Amino acid sequence: MSTQGSPDVKPDVNRAALGVVRAAVIAAAACGAVLVGGLVLGGSVTEKVIPGLGDAGVLTRWGLPASRAAMDLLSALTVGALIAAAALLPIESGGPAGGGRSAEGGRGPGRLSRDAVGYLHAASWLAAAWAAAAAATLVFTVADVLGQPVGQVVTGSELSSYVGSLPQGTALMIVVLLAVVVALLARTTTTPAAAFGLLALAGIALLPAPLTGHSASAANHTVATTGVALHVAAVAPWVGGLAVVGVHALLRRDRLPVMADRFSRMALWCYVIVGASGLVNVIARLPDPVEMVETNYGRLALGKIAAFCALGWFGWWHRSRTLPALEAGKPWSFARLASVEAAVMGAAVGLAVALARTAPPAPTEPESAVKALLGYEMPPQITPARLATLWQLDLLFVVLVAALGGLYLAAVVRLRRRGDSWPAGRSAAWLIGLVTMIAVTQTGVAKYAPILFSVHMAQHMVLNMLTPIFLVLGAPVTLALRALKPARVRGDRGPREWLTAMLHSRYVAVIAHPAVATFIFVVSTFALYFTTLFEAAMRNHLGHMAMSLHFLFAGSLFFWVLLGVDPAPKKLPYPGRLLLLFVTMPFHAFFGIALMNLSQALARGWYASVDPPWGTTILKDQHTGGAIAWGFGEVPTFLVLIVLAFQWYLDDQRQARRMDRKADRAAAPGGRSEDDELATYNARLAKLAERDKSE
């Protein structure tokens, strides 16, 4: 909104800035008040000091949750500012200086608007403050764990000694480093791709701290860890996005309707994810519903649920009332409601921090050593029937399968409604791939995989060498490019434009190169199992999830290069694909043979801790796993050969039809004879024959 030439510009700007400060103070006050109340109700600041035991002191008892609340709010504001710059504000068309045509005339490299660059600079300051709050949280955490006053921790050697040995300390140090990187790079970033990269980096920095809290010690580690990761990943853009859109409205900046509409659509998905993940987290920590009202943890959880419901009402009001008011040129209706909603969100953040500082109710029965490691009791002796029927919920893959299946089917439905066709074989391949994923992550295979190396290897082989084949044949990228609509604003980037930009990026060009993809597919397997990484991944639930995702990613990348229908930076000819297949697959056979000839068990410490009383020896079971790895490679090799032969045949048919069409056009009246490649080739042969006769 331009205000140049108006005598009331400065008073309006001051009034708008005062409104931003007022809204921020109210939200911070709401967060602080609810935090204090929650800490008192939960009892974390009123614990009785037992003589003889270390006491971190009053400063740590209050300073730790306060710094944690500041860290959470600042991280959300950083993510919100980066989202506003990368996605909520439209990207402007590149001008002649960028190598393209003018913004009025057409295409060119997109560039961030002036407001977007301003939000990037704001993200730099917010990320710096985020790093400072994380550093303060780190100091208070070490003091709390050691039971020593903050002054003693800071002046002594405890801080440097315990940061690397405490999971919380390591996580917070990672947060500090990543936040500092975001703060430094955001000062010089001016391109949409760089802003998106910083947003991804900030998103990664959100996760280490919450994942080393109560989620790591909940009854079902995998479910709790995935639930809290989804919760944090959805809360930060929701809270931070609302704050930035509210600031944009209070300052009366341009393009508020577009920004608010995009935020509203994003917020709806965030709301659903926050609700579902929050419910999972509550169930994981409070299996008995009675504990919701009988324990301090449960009562705080009820308060958080009430705040969540209130925020849902705000979201409905925004979509039904204030967004139409924005279109009608009434920005203050949105700004007022957003300010109140921000205060409720601040209170919810304070309540969440108080909940994190409150210990969940202790289990009624003593927990076995196996359950402490696995999150569930030792299953009965393994049988084929139990592998199929002893279901084990893995929330990470449930969410992944639901998202991949839902998005794929929604894209197919959109194409059909538009009157376009989509091959049923591709849809079937995609769904088969998802079924194979479920078969090894939700059944008894997932329950026995952490206990028996042989079952783990079967799970690895399916995720790495079978599931990716079907997923790649489903051509998800081609489907997305056909189903997604172009951005409404010319020169802007919507999901389709971002996908296209990613396919043409240097990163994809490097990682999708056949040599790089093959290296990742082959070498990472040997590097994982024949180093200490394997035992570390098995002992850590985050590491185990990362290992499973790596199997899926590495296999999908390799088979995309080998079989991919989707566009790729470099397409190998079919003889090259066959050669790559025959060169690569023997390495998995060598890997299996190496496992079968082991004289010492891999990850002996882990498997000795979870060794089932009905099982065979650890080394013999690992030899069985090696036999599975050796024999399983024949299945994907056979499938790939069939698919390659079929693709090669269809490609030859397409080439023949193309040449026939060119020949028909050349033979038609007015056609050019040189367009007929076959006729040109025959003429060249005739000339060579004539020359041979003349010689």
Side-chain angles (χ1 to χ4, degrees), residues 163-520:
V163 164
S165 59
L166 292 174
Q168 301 97 323
T170 304
L172 288 168
M173 182 56 66
I174 293 173
V175 173
V176 171
L177 294 176
L178 292 178
V180 168
V181 171
V182 172
L184 294 175
L185 295 181
R187 298 296 302 174
T188 58
T189 296
T190 57
T191 63
F196 192 82
L198 287 178
L199 175 60
L201 188 63
I204 295 172
L206 290 172
L207 300 178
L211 291 181
T212 53
H214 289 161
S215 61
S217 58
N220 193 327
H221 309 301
T222 304
V223 173
T225 301
T226 305
V228 76
L230 291 172
H231 199 74
V232 172
V235 165
W238 185 21
V239 175
L242 175 70
V244 174
V245 175
V247 168
H248 202 84
L250 289 170
L251 296 178
R252 301 186 183 185
R253 298 272 178 86
D254 290 335
R255 298 178 177 177
L256 176 60
V258 175
M259 194 177 184
D261 178 67
R262 292 182 178 183
F263 169 75
S264 179
R265 282 181 279 149
M266 181 193 74
L268 177 61
W269 286 105
C270 290
Y271 185 80
V272 172
I273 295 172
V274 168
S277 59
L279 181 63
V280 167
N281 291 330
V282 169
I283 293 175
R285 293 169 176 81
L286 300 174
D288 187 356
V290 177
E291 294 176 331
M292 292 288 290
V293 294
E294 292 184 350
T295 64
N296 292 334
Y297 190 92
R299 286 188 282 269
L300 290 177
L302 284 176
K304 193 176 177 183
I305 292 173
F308 174 78
C309 294
L311 290 172
W313 179 87
F314 278 109
W316 170 81
W317 191 270
H318 273 305
R319 295 179 69 88
S320 61
R321 301 295 178 88
T322 60
L323 290 182
L326 281 178
E327 294 293 340
K330 301 176 181 178
W332 279 106
S333 59
F334 178 88
R336 285 193 297 268
L337 188 63
S339 299
V340 178
E341 186 179 2
V344 177
M345 279 189 171
V349 170
L351 194 57
V353 174
L355 190 65
R357 290 291 298 162
T358 303
T364 55
E365 298 180 358
E367 190 175 65
S368 65
V370 170
K371 187 175 182 180
L373 292 172
L374 299 176
Y376 52 89
E377 295 291 352
M378 178 68 69
Q381 184 171 0
I382 185 172
T383 63
R386 286 170 179 159
L387 282 174
T389 58
L390 285 181
W391 288 81
Q392 174 67 28
L393 177 65
D394 188 329
L395 185 60
L396 172 66
F397 280 94
V398 167
V399 173
L400 184 62
V401 169
L404 293 178
L407 291 173
Y408 194 96
L409 294 177
V412 172
V413 170
R414 174 177 285 187
L415 286 183
R416 296 295 175 86
R417 288 178 177 176
R418 204 168 62 194
D420 296 336
S421 61
W422 181 254
R426 293 182 181 178
S427 299
W430 183 261
L431 295 177
I432 291 173
L434 297 182
V435 169
T436 60
M437 199 186 303
I438 292 174
V440 295
T441 60
Q442 308 301 321
T443 61
V445 174
K447 186 176 285 288
Y448 287 97
I451 301 170
L452 298 174
F453 181 84
S454 55
V455 180
H456 164 83
M457 186 53 60
Q459 184 187 55
H460 170 184
M461 291 292 110
V462 171
L463 289 176
N464 189 236
M465 300 179 68
L466 186 63
T467 300
I469 294 176
F470 293 103
L471 295 182
V472 165
L473 292 177
V477 177
T478 302
L479 176 62
L481 291 174
R482 290 183 58 186
L484 291 172
K485 298 178 181 178
R488 297 178 183 178
V489 181
R490 191 170 190 176
D492 193 14
R493 282 186 180 179
R496 191 178 191 277
E497 288 75 18
W498 278 113
L499 179 59
T500 304
M502 184 181 67
L503 289 173
H504 292 88
S505 66
R506 294 180 182 177
Y507 171 77
V508 173
V510 171
I511 200 171
H513 190 280
V516 177
T518 304
F519 180 85
I520 295 173

Side-chain angles (χ1 to χ4, degrees), residues 120-140:
L120 274 180
H121 292 167
S124 176
W125 290 107
L126 290 168
W130 177 14
T137 305
L138 172 60
V139 174
F140 285 123

Side-chain angles (χ1 to χ4, degrees), residues 627-671:
I628 292 173
W630 175 64
F632 192 90
E634 304 297 330
V635 177
T637 302
F638 180 68
L639 287 175
V640 171
L641 283 174
I642 293 176
V643 173
L644 277 178
F646 187 68
Q647 289 180 340
W648 200 345
Y649 170 77
L650 292 181
D651 186 66
D652 285 344
Q653 293 295 312
R654 284 192 295 267
Q655 294 293 337
R657 288 194 296 268
R658 184 180 62 82
M659 294 180 65
D660 289 342
R661 287 194 297 268
K662 292 185 69 174
D664 293 340
R665 287 195 297 268

Side-chain angles (χ1 to χ4, degrees), residues 17 73 109 152 164 167-168 236 287 346 358 385 397 449 460 475 490 526-527 542 557 572 687 690:
L73 285 174
Q152 184 176 340
Q168 301 97 323
T358 303
F397 280 94
H460 170 184
R490 191 170 190 176
F526 287 88
L542 291 177
L557 182 64
L572 283 176
K687 287 182 179 180
E690 289 291 338

Side-chain angles (χ1 to χ4, degrees), residues 453 522-535 587 590-598 600 602 622:
F453 181 84
V522 174
V523 176
S524 62
T525 300
F526 287 88
L528 173 67
Y529 286 99
F530 294 110
T531 65
T532 57
L533 285 175
F534 178 57
E535 182 163 7
F587 283 100
F590 298 153
F591 168 70
I593 293 172
L595 290 176
M596 293 169 65
N597 289 285
L598 284 175
Q600 293 185 346
L602 300 175
Q622 292 189 356

Side-chain angles (χ1 to χ4, degrees), residues 73-97:
L73 285 174
L74 289 167
S75 64
L77 291 175
T78 302
V79 170
L82 292 172
I83 286 178
L88 297 184
L89 283 170
I91 296 172
E92 297 180 351
S93 298

